[in-house]
Amino acid sequence: MSSPSLLCAVEDVLQQGRLLLRTVNAELYALPLDGLPGTSIGGHYRHVLDHFQCLLVGLRGGEINYDQRRRDPHVERSLEYALEVTEQISAEFAAIPEESWRLDCAVIYSVGYDAPPETARTNAAREVMFCIGHAIHHYAILKLLCANLGVKLPYTFGVAPSTLKHLETSTAA
């Protein structure tokens, strides 16, 4: 995947986030959801942004640590601030030099409940793909949460590009 297509994919997924922020109101964004302790639309969206922020920090230092997320409660509670952070992330990705996408780096992530964090070799492009897929996964959850609150998002919101392509191909056949 080339840097222009990676940047386009990041921007596409952040654009879905902007759509979410324009669709829900500030009250619903921060509303704690019954039966789901600690869950809100803002909480899921903050989690998505946290991963992109970890990636940006890691690209500057050569080590991406997804366990060191900011978890900024202000992003969870303020729709306006979440939009500001989204715009900042978008601008930072746009400023990444093309050669940076090919850089090798380390990724640190806790994957086991009773084990220390794992470290693996990776590269910037692969981690961008991870963050995009991770965002889409959370967008799918957000779409369900929004539907339960009476907020309708477009059919394509939270649907993986490969799924959309598959559906396009299968309905055309």
Side-chain angles (χ1 to χ4, degrees), residues 9 16 31 36 55 63 77 83 91-93 108 110 149-150 172:
Q16 283 191 45
L31 180 71
L36 301 167
L55 175 56
E63 186 174 271
R77 296 185 194 124
L83 183 57
E92 285 185 51
F93 270 102
I108 300 167
S110 288
L149 295 169

Side-chain angles (χ1 to χ4, degrees), residues 45-58:
Y45 191 64
R46 187 261 319 143
H47 181 75
V48 166
L49 296 182
D50 279 352
H51 278 72
F52 280 111
Q53 289 172 321
C54 286
L55 175 56
L56 287 165
V57 168

Side-chain angles (χ1 to χ4, degrees), residues 22-166:
R22 286 192 308 269
T23 303
V24 299
N25 63 41
E27 181 183 345
L28 287 180
Y29 180 79
L31 180 71
L33 300 174
D34 291 339
L36 301 167
T39 300
S40 66
I41 291 169
H44 274 281
Y45 191 64
R46 187 261 319 143
H47 181 75
V48 166
L49 296 182
D50 279 352
H51 278 72
F52 280 111
Q53 289 172 321
C54 286
L55 175 56
L56 287 165
V57 168
L59 290 178
R60 291 189 287 271
E63 186 174 271
I64 302 161
N65 189 333
Y66 292 116
D67 287 353
Q68 292 183 343
R69 297 187 301 276
R70 292 182 184 167
R71 296 178 172 94
D72 183 351
H74 192 49
V75 176
E76 288 185 34
R77 296 185 194 124
S78 171
L79 190 145
E80 295 81 16
Y81 185 64
L83 183 57
E84 286 177 32
V85 173
T86 302
E87 297 305 333
Q88 176 189 3
I89 290 169
S90 178
E92 285 185 51
F93 270 102
I96 294 173
E98 186 169 339
E99 62 274 5
S100 294
W101 298 108
R102 293 182 292 280
L103 293 177
D104 287 337
C105 55
V107 65
I108 300 167
Y109 205 23
S110 288
V111 293
Y113 291 101
D114 295 323
E118 296 288 335
T119 301
R121 298 302 308 163
T122 187
N123 64 54
R126 170 63 189 103
E127 293 310 306
V128 170
M129 289 183 245
F130 164 75
C131 285
I132 290 167
H134 178 260
I136 292 168
H137 166 78
H138 278 275
Y139 287 174
I141 295 168
L142 282 162
K143 188 175 184 178
L144 293 171
L145 295 174
C146 285
N148 285 336
L149 295 169
V151 175
K152 187 167 175 53
L153 291 164
Y155 170 77
T156 56
F157 184 88
V159 180
S162 61
T163 301
L164 292 174
K165 289 174 188 167
H166 170 74

